[in-house]
Amino acid sequence: MAFLRSIVTAKTTAIAAVIPAAAFAISSISSSSSSSSSSSSSHFERLSKNLKFASNPNLRLSFAKNIEKSSPPSALHMDAPSSNHQTSVENGAVLPDLLTEFMVDMSCQGCVNAVKSKLQTVEGVKNVDVDLDNQVVRVLGSSPVKILTEALEQTGRKARLIGQGVPDDFLISAAVAEFKGPDIFGVVRLAQVNLELTRIEANFSGLSPGKHAWSINEFGDLTRGAASTGKLYSPPLGDLGTLEVDVKGEAFYSGAKEKLRVADLIGRAIAVYSTEDKSDPGLKAAVIARSAGVGENYKKLCTCDGTTIWEATNKL
């Protein structure tokens, strides 16, 4: 454990977050100038527990080494974003690292080798850990879910996203909004990176080609579609800019937004508009619901119909 403590203590700052569960919000954060080895050790134990690594010291040591090599110290605690946290750029936005978990249909070591080899070629991937017993693949890096999913499917194996976020003490670390048609389909995923930064990824189909405004609105009331979701949430935080829709009616977005907290968005709505003008009633909206964070969803069967989890893949 002395080695593990030395990894985490190097240049880190102890941070304590006070999270009132009843309010579903993160209320305050305090810091001290330096951390002791005992506090850093307890932080690493929380990380290990959230990743289901506590019972496997080899996996825990491997992940710690990769964190040290691939991420700056700020990735191990909840500092405000800094230039060291920048890992890649897409759509003009800096994408920080996240841990993304998939349930993957694997049956042997050959499957493990194929999955790891493929994912390690994806730009932005820093580390890949495969748990064959639970059929779980964990990917550390800045690559969007869409790209990782496509890479897994290229190995000939079915995969399903089961969790995303950072292994830390957030009450709510991930959320999702699903647009289920009949004309417009889409999935918007939000993941808390630290107390001051959220990553956003979105896939849409069925939109007319061109630019479409989209936003986070005050209410999750869909009785009149997007028109009943209220005003823009906490301007300018709720303004998500514009979606660039191609000639096939499809759009993909991946970016990050400062000061946006996932816990504050549950029960609100994401709305998409017919043009770049947000003053129109809006084309479609979807309610933002809590989604599984890291280590929160290892079920292999869907409760709805009993099929294996990777058979229940969404359209997007």
Side-chain angles (χ1 to χ4, degrees), residues 115-196:
V115 165
K116 291 189 73 169
S117 296
K118 182 62 179 181
L119 288 174
Q120 287 167 349
T121 67
V122 176
E123 183 178 0
V125 169
K126 304 293 181 60
N127 182 53
V128 180
D129 172 72
V130 180
D131 180 351
L132 180 59
D133 290 340
N134 290 311
Q135 295 181 297
V136 171
V137 176
R138 305 177 184 95
V139 186
L140 174 69
S142 59
S143 305
V145 171
K146 181 176 184 290
I147 304 301
L148 296 176
T149 303
E150 290 173 351
L152 286 168
E153 290 176 349
Q154 287 171 12
T155 69
R157 292 159 182 85
K158 297 175 182 178
R160 172 81 171 188
L161 175 70
I162 59 170
Q164 189 176 45
V166 294
D168 231 312
D169 292 333
F170 298 120
L171 177 63
I172 299 175
S173 61
V176 63
E178 296 184 87
F179 293 73
K180 298 182 179 181
D183 300 316
I184 298 171
F185 294 87
V187 176
V188 181
R189 298 184 180 93
L190 304 103
Q192 197 80 53
V193 177
N194 57 42
L195 287 177
E196 301 295 332

Side-chain angles (χ1 to χ4, degrees), residues 211-243:
K211 294 183 178 181
H212 294 261
W214 64 315
S215 64
I216 301 170
N217 290 353
E218 293 177 301
F219 312 122
D221 179 5
L222 303 183
T223 54
R224 294 184 290 114
S228 56
T229 57
K231 298 178 181 179
L232 185 70
Y233 163 71
S234 188
L237 281 182
D239 188 353
L240 299 178
T242 57
L243 292 166

